[in-house]
Amino acid sequence: MRASATGRTLHDPKGGSFWFDAGAVCLDFAHTGGEGPYAVFESLHEPADLAEWLAHPSIAAVMTAPLTVHELTAAKALRQAIWDAAHARAAHRPLPAEAIETINRAAAAAPLVPELAADGTTAGWAPPVRAAQALSTLAREMIELLSGPLSGRIRECASDNCPLVFVDTSRPGARRWCAMERCGNRHKLRARRARQASDP
Ligand SMILES: [Zn+2]
């Protein structure tokens, strides 16, 4: 079983929310919060928040034991590494050694194990389902992304002040915005105003 459907609703600390599809579950995960200036976007406050995020259908990893604070800390370290690696790749910079090390360390754990149900047509994750396995699955997806055919499609939103990062999985590969209804429309509006202003 592979993580398939991507995209989550992101909440702005000022109140708004919008749908953002980063194109990969590991990249969606990188947008659950952060450090420093991104701490205001934190959505994983407690271990239960991480358990809920992982139980979402896009990865469907329902923990068979309560998540611990230690596991939440490990998850945030991996999240930061994915974020740093994605931004480095998007900017055509070498990946930070620390990010590579953190991603590799998470991937070294046993991943989630797929299990075919008795009906032979549906699948889930074989128990026990633990956080370290889910993090390994996310880390492995990120490794595939960075080393695979889509590695050149990792981009930051084209808006000047939007740090959201995604992998463009579209066939034409012309995706520019985190979300059309957010930065894409803002850009269109600005372009239209600029055109009107320059019209004689
Ligand atoms: Zn954007």
Side-chain angles (χ1 to χ4, degrees):
M1 196 170 112
R2 279 179 63 93
S4 50
T6 52
R8 299 283 182 122
T9 301
L10 293 191
H11 297 275
D12 195 288
K14 290 183 203 120
S17 67
F18 66 103
W19 179 257
F20 172 61
D21 183 353
V25 180
C26 59
L27 292 181
D28 279 336
F29 182 62
H31 293 81
T32 56
E35 295 168 11
Y38 299 114
V40 291
F41 297 99
E42 187 59 73
S43 66
L44 307 179
H45 302 283
E46 292 176 20
D49 298 327
L50 176 60
E52 199 186 318
W53 196 93
L54 292 171
H56 185 275
S58 64
I59 178 163
V62 179
M63 298 293 119
T64 49
L67 238 139
T68 66
V69 172
H70 181 72
E71 288 168 327
L72 177 60
T73 305
K76 287 183 176 177
L78 176 63
R79 179 179 71 183
Q80 188 65 40
I82 293 172
W83 174 270
D84 291 343
H87 278 88
R89 178 56 48 84
H92 309 288
R93 280 187 279 114
L95 268 49
E98 201 190 328
I100 294 178
E101 200 183 301
T102 303
I103 291 167
N104 283 342
R105 205 183 316 120
L112 295 165
V113 178
E115 184 181 66
L116 196 60
D119 66 7
T121 60
T122 56
W125 300 120
V129 177
R130 307 304 302 265
Q133 293 173 271
L135 296 184
S136 173
T137 293
L138 291 171
R140 287 167 189 232
E141 188 193 29
M142 187 60 180
I143 291 173
E144 246 180 70
L145 204 57
L146 290 166
S147 61
L150 290 175
S151 79
R153 293 276 201 100
I154 298 173
R155 291 185 203 126
E156 200 177 289
C157 175
S159 184
D160 291 342
N161 50 6
C162 179
L164 302 195
V165 71
F166 57 84
V167 57
D168 182 358
T169 56
S170 71
R171 193 177 285 263
R175 179 175 170 186
R176 298 179 64 199
W177 313 108
C178 57
M180 201 59 209
E181 59 271 26
R182 190 168 182 261
C183 293
N185 285 345
R186 255 187 239 163
H187 175 80
K188 270 202 300 196
L189 196 69
R190 263 202 306 272
R192 196 182 311 142
R193 281 194 192 130
R195 260 200 316 274
Q196 283 165 353
S198 65
D199 277 348

